[in-house]
Amino acid sequence: MTERNPTPRRLGARIEARIEARLGGLEDLPLPTPLELRVRWVLLAVVVIANVGGALVVLSFATFVVPDPPLGDPAYVEHVHRVNAIAFFSYPVVAGPVALWLGLRLWRPVVRLAREGGVPDREQRGAVLLGPLRLTLLLGVMWAVGAAGWAVLDATLFTARLAVKTGLTCLLGAMTTCTLVYLMSERLLRPAAALVLATQPPRRIRLPGITARVMLAWALGTAIPVVGVVGVGIAALVTPIPGGQLAFTMIGLGGIALLAGAVITYLATRAIADPIKTVRTGMARVARGDLAAETEVYDASEVGQLQAGFNDMVAGLRRSERLRDLFGRHVGEEVADLALEGGDIELGGETREVAVLFVDLAGSTRLAETRTPDQVVALLNAFFGVVVAVVARHGGWINKFEGDAALAIFGAPTALEDSAGGALGAARETALRLRAGVAELDFGVGVSAGEVVAGYIGAEQRFEYTVIGDPVNEAARLSDMAKTFDGRVLASGTVLEAAHLAEAQHWDLGRSVTLRGRRGPTRLATPRPPAVPDRERRRLLPRPPRVLRRRPTAPEDPQTLG
């Protein structure tokens, strides 16, 4: 006994090892994706539901709606019905597996795309976008073959009039099946169509569009019942139909028309309305300023072109907004708005009353010697970041950066109520914030005001918006002198005269000097030392009121500085 047992044990061990190897291999198989499962089951569901619907139409018309031609003996009539029932239920047993096999072959590229993803190739694109139409044609051919075979069977075994009845009812069922197949498969394949149309807009593929879908809905919901009514009328002319049976037939056809018409019209309108609804939702988001709105394109007809056109439009708006943003950062938002909304640009300018603020970095040469270029750039960006933010809060804009200096304008191109007060407030806040945020850098701030020429300067091929006038030069000279003052801020007396009281009360007038490069005297003004805690000093300065107050200037002998 002990010599015979090892062989069965070894066989059992081998079988167990093979089973474990197979099961281990199954663990390595990739799980199907939700889209792959949807694509696999959509074929089976669509084929079964649509064919069951078509078969119910045939059964209803053949049994209850369209009367039989005279067949004579009741036993013979029962024999005819038995033969036709066998033919009716036998054909799907043969044709169903064939239709599923052919449908799976047609949809293999669709399943592969759903499983692997990536960029679809030409075969996959055609299989997805033309899949509903190809499946509709396949089932239409199968139904046409069944209708012809059934009609030939009745014509051979029984009468031609019975063959006409069975053939026509089969064709009505074929129309029902084909309509349901196309509308249902097109709707269920939208996720796969979205993958395909995301890589290429629907411009070259011709598919049944809005007109074809509406006609399909009309054919199933209206034409088929009307054809049944016409058939009953013709049959009544050939063979008298009892009144009760005729009334039952008309009621049945009317009920079918109402029910089928409602269902098919709903499916057809949803196939058109759903994509349009997504476009409307996207347009509402764009109207609220959300340029990230994008519509999923899952239709290759005119509706899909509408979806793709909406996405192209939003992409163009995003590009335009980005260009506008970059343009505004380069030249200032006010100048950008003026250039984009003002129509044609002409060289030249106009005389404007403005205030000018000039900020200049002190010791830039020594800074470049003692720091690396990256460190210098980082310090300059931090320095100018404070200047830009403060100037913008007070209603001005940076006209240009000149190496280690910045020129800010208040009152052009956008007019301000108190441009002088805005420039003075920006100067005071700039000094406070630079000392707190970029303490390792020294600077000087100069403020002036007066008439300038503001406009586009340059040539037709290259120009810029800028201001030219004496206040610009005066502000630059004041910024140089301010580097020797404790507060690092100087303003001219003309700015203080033009400023509103809310800002002017924070400044003191001083002596008059003749700045380098200028002939006339300039009355100096310096900000009063703040008498509030440092944290209160750094808060945003209030906007000046509308009241205008000019401070009187006392005569003082000028002193020339070289």
Side-chain angles (χ1 to χ4, degrees), residues 6 13 15 37 87 95 150 159 216 236 249 264 282 290 350 381 391 412 419 431 438 448 472 475 490 529-530 538:
I15 294 173
L37 292 175
W150 198 2
T159 64
L216 284 174
T249 300
I264 299 303
D290 182 9
E350 58 179 348
N381 287 337
V391 168
S419 58
V438 199
S448 181
V472 178
L490 284 179
R538 295 178 184 175

Side-chain angles (χ1 to χ4, degrees), residues 49-50 53 175-185 220 264 267:
I49 294 175
M175 294 174 63
T176 303
T177 301
C178 291
T179 303
L180 290 174
V181 162
Y182 184 82
L183 294 176
M184 293 174 62
S185 60
L220 184 57
I264 299 303
L267 292 176

Side-chain angles (χ1 to χ4, degrees), residues 187-212:
R187 185 174 183 84
L188 293 174
L189 271 183
R190 285 179 178 178
L195 289 178
V196 171
L197 296 176
T199 59
Q200 182 176 345
R203 293 191 177 96
R204 298 181 179 178
I205 299 178
R206 298 292 183 181
L207 292 178
I210 297 177
T211 303

Side-chain angles (χ1 to χ4, degrees), residues 1 16 99 173 344 436 511:
M1 296 295 293
E16 184 177 357
D344 295 335
R511 56 195 175 93

Side-chain angles (χ1 to χ4, degrees), residues 55 69 78 201 390:
E78 183 178 353
V390 173

